[in-house]
Amino acid sequence: MTKQLHIVGGGMAGSEAAWQAAHMGVDVVLHEMRPKVETFAHQTGNLGEMVCSNSFRSDDDEQNAVGLLHWEMRAANGLIMSTAEQHRLPAGGALAVDRDPFAETVTARLKALPNVTVSYEEVTELPDDGHWIFATGPLTSPSLGQAIQRETGTEALAFFDAIAPIVYAESIDMSKAWMQSRYDKGETEEERTAYLNCPMDKDQYEAFIDALLAADKTEFHEGETAGYFDGCLPIEVMAERGRETLRHGPMKPVGLTNPHQPDVKAHAVVQLRRDNALGTLFNIVGFQTKMKYGAQTEVLRMIPGLENASFARLGGIHRNTFLNSPTLLDSEMRLKSKPHIRFAGQITGVEGYVESAAMGLLAGRLAAAEILGKTLPVVPQDSAMGALIHHITGGAEAKTFQPMNVNFGLFQPVDGLKGGRRGRKDRYKAYTDRAKLAWQDWLGNFS
């Protein structure tokens, strides 16, 4: 058997897998079909391109499961986390990045490794031998998707993911909008003013909901169904679930004070987050949409402060595919019918940049260890990595399997700690303390 590792897909998971395996001394060939073969959502041929949000979400490693995953990836010399830190933007308690320099740096750092080769060709079949990781993400090409479907003998599950619009900062009316992170969260003044806020009174909100519900939407092709992942719902789908849904979701008005009218409590607030280091672009937080382009500009310009908004990118919708991993993959993410093939990233049924990169990190290390003849203990379920891989490879119910973000609900309980909201702070700290010890112990097997 060859000692070379082939990784298909140069997104978060594939890039991280390549980095980890290469640093363990394995020769890596990273196959990326872009820019020769384009996708609906990608703009460049860069590795690690961010196509949806520019946020890696919470960076709190003591009270948040995503932040804990950040910590574990940093402890493992993670490419994605170290590059994110290099291109960090103010975002309150979140880790947001300048997306273009981020992807350019990921690409440069991987290409600088002497044992990594990047091949810009499309892989359309599942190979019969060698060592492979498929990290092709939710936008797996149709030909490869068909090959996976033929091998697994099941219909690939599908859902739809929507992209949020990006606005040019110079076109936002700052006499109506203001800069403030919710509850003034953040260590510095820059962090505490990381979000741009656009307030609505009740009449404006009701008119906005009416327009949202009436707007022209993208139609689905015959045979497609709209099985959305709840963590990334289009705003119009949220509105269809109830007129107050958005006020309790991305448009919630809590923790914010309008300096233009400090005595007036907003009925709803639309938040925008800086999308690049220059501060010239802002994305509308949580505003993924499947509205047609013409309808988008009309509806979004109803938001106070965005009446004359100019858009660098409008929202869109694309089909995502993922495996029924609890049925198809073993505990090391190997395809049960072809164990020389691993899957990693969003195609395995994890949701989000961080989770995808984390599964890439594990796949890269597990594949490299196998190639090098090392036997590793099972990834500890008490770690965030272990909780997530356990969920997708057997902990989840196969019949109802859906994409999952990392969360403390996936963790084994800590004995002696009370449940409920009142005990949550102590409970989460206990989870993260236990996880860090378990993860560091597992990493020690690689030294």
Side-chain angles (χ1 to χ4, degrees):
M1 293 285 282
T2 177
K3 297 298 183 183
Q4 196 173 61
L5 175 62
H6 293 268
I7 300 173
V8 184
M12 297 293 171
S15 296
E16 188 66 64
W19 178 263
Q20 296 291 331
H23 277 275
M24 287 177 64
V26 171
D27 290 336
V28 175
V29 180
L30 181 56
H31 302 265
E32 173 51 58
M33 68 181 185
R34 296 178 293 114
K36 288 185 178 180
V37 181
E38 297 180 342
T39 75
F40 168 84
H42 290 88
Q43 306 286 320
T44 75
N46 286 329
L47 305 175
E49 180 181 337
M50 305 178 82
V51 298
C52 206
S53 167
N54 72 322
S55 175
F56 289 105
R57 308 182 344 261
S58 175
D59 204 30
D60 183 349
D61 61 58
E62 293 190 346
Q63 292 291 313
N64 190 285
V66 177
L68 174 61
L69 210 47
H70 290 185
W71 187 95
E72 292 183 7
M73 292 169 72
R74 287 174 176 132
N77 182 36
L79 168 68
I80 297 303
M81 281 298 111
S82 61
T83 308
E85 197 64 42
Q86 187 177 343
H87 298 288
R88 187 170 191 150
L89 296 175
L95 173 58
V97 306
D98 195 345
R99 68 177 78 211
D100 289 338
F102 169 84
E104 289 163 4
T105 301
V106 167
T107 305
R109 292 179 72 184
L110 281 170
K111 287 186 173 181
L113 295 177
N115 55 338
V116 172
T117 303
V118 181
S119 172
Y120 291 100
E121 298 291 340
E122 182 182 7
V123 175
T124 59
E125 296 290 339
L126 295 180
D128 292 323
D129 54 27
H131 298 276
W132 293 78
I133 295 174
F134 281 79
T136 48
L139 298 181
T140 297
S141 68
S143 54
L144 181 56
Q146 289 166 12
I148 293 170
Q149 195 169 325
R150 285 194 300 271
E151 175 60 32
T152 58
T154 60
E155 288 292 320
L157 298 176
F159 65 102
F160 289 85
D161 200 8
I163 295 173
I166 294 177
V167 181
Y168 287 105
E170 63 186 17
S171 68
I172 300 170
D173 184 354
M174 295 304 295
S175 70
K176 297 179 180 177
W178 76 96
M179 304 298 297
Q180 182 189 5
S181 297
R182 204 179 299 280
Y183 298 110
D184 298 309
K185 195 170 184 179
E187 297 288 324
T188 66
E189 181 64 18
E190 194 175 35
E191 293 281 352
R192 290 189 288 272
T193 57
Y195 291 82
L196 192 150
N197 302 281
C198 299
M200 285 186 181
D201 60 27
K202 190 173 190 302
D203 289 342
Q204 289 168 329
Y205 177 79
E206 293 296 337
F208 180 77
I209 296 298
D210 288 338
L212 199 56
L213 294 172
D216 286 337
K217 320 291 195 308
T218 301
E219 298 297 327
F220 298 110
H221 298 297
E222 186 176 352
E224 292 181 337
T225 57
Y228 295 109
F229 168 59
D230 276 352
C232 203
L233 285 175
I235 52 170
E236 56 276 4
V237 173
M238 283 189 267
E240 288 166 2
R241 294 185 173 186
R243 298 184 69 87
E244 293 292 291
T245 304
L246 284 167
R247 286 190 66 238
H248 295 278
M251 295 177 68
K252 58 181 178 285
V254 298
L256 298 164
T257 301
N258 183 354
H260 306 302
Q261 294 179 299
D263 297 328
V264 177
K265 180 70 176 174
H267 186 72
V269 174
V270 175
Q271 286 200 309
L272 293 86
R273 180 176 52 234
R274 200 165 86 179
D275 203 73
N276 64 349
L278 295 174
T280 56
L281 300 174
F282 280 77
N283 66 63
I284 311 180
V285 178
F287 264 52
Q288 304 88 350
T289 179
K290 64 186 181 78
M291 286 186 286
K292 291 184 177 179
Y293 284 172
Q296 280 187 53
T297 55
E298 289 182 20
V299 173
L300 295 176
R301 284 174 181 158
M302 295 176 67
I303 298 170
L306 302 187
E307 293 91 344
N308 297 306
S310 179
F311 297 92
R313 184 186 73 189
L314 287 166
I317 187 165
H318 53 268
R319 186 175 188 270
N320 284 355
T321 56
F322 61 97
L323 296 173
N324 192 312
S325 294
T327 302
L328 300 173
L329 303 184
D330 71 9
S331 62
E332 290 196 6
M333 294 186 284
R334 291 176 294 215
L335 190 60
K336 291 176 182 177
S337 63
K338 287 183 180 289
H340 64 286
I341 294 174
R342 280 179 168 82
F343 283 86
Q346 256 184 285
I347 197 169
T348 63
V350 295
E351 178 62 25
Y353 294 139
V354 180
E355 290 86 343
S356 296
M359 294 301 96
L361 187 152
L362 282 181
R365 283 182 168 247
L366 292 169
E370 186 174 302
I371 289 170
L372 296 170
K374 293 191 68 171
T375 301
L376 295 174
V378 174
V379 182
Q381 195 175 340
D382 285 340
S383 66
M385 295 273 188
L388 199 54
I389 192 175
H390 175 78
H391 175 78
I392 65 172
T393 60
E397 175 58 55
K399 289 182 180 178
T400 57
F401 185 61
Q402 282 286 309
M404 177 63 75
N405 291 121
V406 68
N407 63 84
F408 286 128
L410 304 180
F411 286 58
Q412 299 178 104
V414 176
D415 292 339
L417 291 178
K418 61 183 178 182
R421 293 182 63 86
R422 289 187 178 180
R424 187 170 55 183
K425 187 172 182 180
D426 290 340
R427 192 166 65 251
Y428 289 175
K429 183 66 163 57
Y431 285 149
T432 56
D433 286 348
R434 182 182 66 178
K436 290 172 184 177
L437 290 173
W439 181 243
Q440 286 176 316
D441 183 60
W442 190 77
L443 286 179
N445 292 285
F446 292 89
S447 57

Coordinates of all heavy atoms in Angstrom, one line a residue, residues 9 21 24 39 46 48 53-54 69 112 131 177 193 283 330 356 396 415 434:
G9 N -11.0 17.7 -1.8 CA -11.7 18.8 -1.3 C -10.8 19.7 -0.5 O -10.3 19.3 0.5
A21 N -1.9 15.8 8.6 CA -1.2 14.6 8.1 C 0.2 15.0 7.7 O 1.1 14.2 7.9 CB -2.0 14.0 6.9
M24 N 2.5 15.2 10.5 CA 2.9 13.9 11.0 C 3.9 13.2 10.1 O 4.3 12.1 10.5 CB 1.6 13.1 11.2 CG 0.8 13.6 12.4 SD -0.8 12.6 12.6 CE -0.1 11.0 13.0
T39 N -18.5 26.1 -8.3 CA -19.7 25.8 -7.6 C -20.6 27.0 -7.5 O -20.1 28.1 -7.8 CB -19.4 25.3 -6.1 OG1 -19.0 26.5 -5.3 CG2 -18.3 24.3 -6.1
N46 N -9.2 29.5 -4.0 CA -8.4 29.4 -2.8 C -8.9 28.3 -1.9 O -10.1 27.9 -1.9 CB -8.5 30.7 -2.0 CG -7.7 31.8 -2.7 OD1 -6.7 31.6 -3.3 ND2 -8.1 33.1 -2.5
G48 N -9.7 26.7 1.7 CA -10.3 27.3 2.9 C -11.2 28.5 2.7 O -11.4 29.3 3.6
S53 N -21.1 32.7 6.2 CA -20.7 33.7 7.2 C -19.2 33.8 7.2 O -18.4 33.0 6.6 CB -21.2 33.3 8.5 OG -20.6 34.0 9.6
N54 N -18.7 34.9 7.8 CA -17.2 35.0 8.1 C -16.9 34.8 9.6 O -15.9 35.2 10.0 CB -16.7 36.4 7.6 CG -17.1 37.5 8.6 OD1 -18.3 37.5 9.1 ND2 -16.3 38.5 8.8
L69 N -14.2 23.7 21.1 CA -13.7 23.1 19.9 C -12.5 24.0 19.4 O -11.5 23.5 18.9 CB -14.8 23.0 18.9 CG -14.7 21.8 17.9 CD1 -14.4 20.5 18.6 CD2 -16.0 21.8 17.1
A112 N 3.3 25.8 1.0 CA 4.7 26.0 1.4 C 5.3 24.7 2.1 O 6.5 24.6 2.2 CB 4.8 27.1 2.5
H131 N -4.9 5.4 0.2 CA -5.5 6.0 1.4 C -6.1 7.3 1.0 O -5.5 8.2 0.5 CB -4.4 6.3 2.5 CG -3.7 5.0 2.9 ND1 -4.1 4.3 3.9 CD2 -2.5 4.5 2.5 CE1 -3.3 3.2 4.1 NE2 -2.3 3.3 3.3
A177 N -28.3 54.1 12.1 CA -27.7 52.9 12.6 C -26.6 53.3 13.7 O -26.2 54.4 13.7 CB -27.0 52.1 11.5
T193 N -17.9 47.3 20.1 CA -18.7 48.0 19.1 C -18.5 47.3 17.8 O -18.3 47.9 16.7 CB -18.2 49.5 19.0 OG1 -16.7 49.5 18.7 CG2 -18.4 50.3 20.2
N283 N -21.8 42.0 6.6 CA -22.8 41.0 6.3 C -24.0 41.1 7.3 O -23.8 41.4 8.4 CB -22.2 39.6 6.2 CG -21.7 39.0 7.5 OD1 -22.5 38.9 8.4 ND2 -20.4 38.8 7.6
D330 N -17.5 4.1 10.2 CA -17.1 3.5 11.4 C -16.7 4.6 12.4 O -16.7 5.8 12.1 CB -16.1 2.4 11.2 CG -14.7 2.9 10.8 OD1 -14.5 4.1 10.8 OD2 -13.9 2.0 10.5
S356 N -16.6 21.4 10.8 CA -16.1 20.8 9.6 C -14.6 20.7 9.7 O -14.0 19.6 9.4 CB -16.5 21.6 8.4 OG -17.8 21.6 8.2
A396 N -26.0 9.3 17.0 CA -27.3 9.8 16.5 C -28.2 8.7 16.1 O -27.8 7.6 15.7 CB -27.0 10.8 15.4
D415 N -21.1 13.7 36.9 CA -21.8 13.3 38.1 C -21.7 14.4 39.2 O -20.7 15.1 39.3 CB -21.1 12.0 38.6 CG -21.3 10.8 37.7 OD1 -22.3 10.8 37.0 OD2 -20.5 9.9 37.8
R434 N -13.1 19.0 32.0 CA -12.9 17.6 31.7 C -12.4 17.3 30.3 O -11.6 16.5 30.0 CB -14.2 16.9 32.0 CG -14.2 15.4 31.8 CD -15.5 14.8 32.1 NE -16.5 15.2 31.1 CZ -17.8 14.7 31.0 NH1 -18.2 13.9 32.0 NH2 -18.6 15.2 30.1

